[in-house]
Amino acid sequence: MPLTMDGLDPGIGMTSRRTRERLVQRLMEAGIDSPDVLRVMRELPRHLFVDEALASRAYEDSALPIGHGQTISQPYTVARMTQALLEYARPDTVLEIGTGSGFQTAVLASLVRRVYSVERVRELFERAQRRLSLIKKRNIRFRHGDGALGWHEYAPYQGIIVTAAPRGVPRLLAEQLATGGVMVLPVGEGARHQLVRVVRLEHGFEQEVLESVSFVPLLTGVS
Ligand code: SAH
């Protein structure tokens, strides 16, 4: 039986619960220990963030294609980045660069007061907005634009998360962090990147490498 957009099919519901639980187990084994992050990963309907043809694989711990050469990030990576962002203090406002499917956006919107999310591909930007309104996440502002420039209007942010890899830490983004604010982003060239956490201090920045990850590159301009 095909998956329905509203996920109301009872058979699917059963399967989803079991497969979601298995995913949460896997995240815990991989070191995710924030009860809030685990709860949100268990609750959110990731199958609504991928094409229907891929919905049966939505609770596997893998990245999946979302069109335009982009991917929905691996659940472990989403959980790890969210945990790294929230570890010290719960930010009130978070800027996300690279909305993509909107799944990471939904995770953040479940945990902080307001999320600002920027995507450079118009079709992804539009689709993500529809999905997030379908699951009734209303504390998000979306923007179609080049996220490498940040989003000046609402800066400074207590948290910034970047879900595509720049070569180095973009200065413009770091400057939109509030003092005490935390930015989590993949950095580097080629297929492997370093997941980096940047904290804005009163004078300057502190930087820490968390682990090795793999992302699509941060591009410039819009499409
Ligand atoms: N968190 C998303 C990840 C999507 S992949 C998810 O799990 O679905 C990264 C996204 O970043 C892509 O949608 C890509 O179009 C977007 N992106 C790349 N460069 C960007 C830029 N300069 N500004 C805004 N979005 C960008």
Side-chain angles (χ1 to χ4, degrees):
M1 193 181 293
L3 281 180
T4 50
M5 263 308 270
D6 57 13
L8 289 178
D9 185 274
I12 294 301
M14 287 302 292
T15 311
S16 291
R17 254 198 303 285
R18 250 198 334 267
T19 48
R20 283 183 208 195
E21 207 46 57
R22 209 176 301 138
L23 172 62
V24 168
Q25 276 303 323
R26 201 189 144 100
L27 296 177
M28 286 164 71
E29 282 158 23
I32 305 300
D33 57 10
S34 156
D36 285 340
V37 173
L38 291 169
R39 173 178 52 79
V40 170
M41 296 300 292
R42 182 183 286 116
E43 284 172 5
L44 281 178
R46 191 169 184 258
H47 61 280
L48 299 184
F49 290 80
V50 295
D51 276 357
E52 259 183 81
L54 291 170
S56 64
R57 300 186 53 199
Y59 299 97
E60 290 174 12
D61 191 20
S62 53
L64 295 169
I66 56 171
H68 301 268
Q70 304 303 317
T71 55
I72 178 171
S73 305
Q74 186 188 348
Y76 167 75
T77 308
V78 172
R80 182 70 184 96
M81 288 179 83
T82 310
Q83 184 165 296
L85 190 74
L86 305 185
E87 226 153 35
Y88 294 141
R90 180 72 57 99
D92 200 39
T93 52
V94 174
L95 172 67
E96 176 190 44
I97 306 304
T99 318
S101 67
F103 183 72
Q104 170 82 72
T105 325
V107 171
L108 293 168
S110 306
L111 293 167
V112 307
R113 188 178 63 80
R114 188 165 282 284
V115 180
Y116 299 87
S117 188
V118 185
E119 169 58 54
R120 65 179 289 280
V121 178
R122 179 171 290 282
E123 201 189 330
L124 296 177
F125 152 82
E126 285 170 354
R127 237 188 267 158
Q129 278 188 83
R130 280 201 298 276
R131 285 187 183 118
L132 285 151
S133 101
L134 189 74
I135 63 162
K136 302 190 166 40
K137 297 289 175 197
R138 305 192 206 283
N139 54 336
I140 307 163
R141 272 180 208 262
F142 295 93
R143 177 184 172 137
H144 175 230
D146 182 354
L149 310 174
W151 191 346
H152 230 278
E153 199 178 342
Y154 299 103
Y157 304 94
Q158 291 168 0
I160 299 181
I161 197 162
V162 187
T163 71
R167 291 185 177 175
V169 176
R171 189 163 193 92
L172 273 171
L173 288 182
E175 282 168 355
Q176 290 181 24
L177 264 185
T179 302
V182 178
M183 172 158 69
V184 177
L185 76 167
V187 171
E189 289 176 65
R192 297 298 290 174
H193 308 98
Q194 289 187 315
L195 189 62
V196 173
R197 175 160 56 193
V198 178
V199 179
R200 182 164 204 173
L201 309 172
E202 223 159 293
H203 306 285
F205 297 90
E206 197 174 74
Q207 204 167 303
E208 168 194 5
V209 174
L210 301 176
E211 61 192 82
S212 169
V213 286
S214 186
F215 272 84
V216 293
L218 189 80
L219 304 172
T220 53
V222 293
S223 85

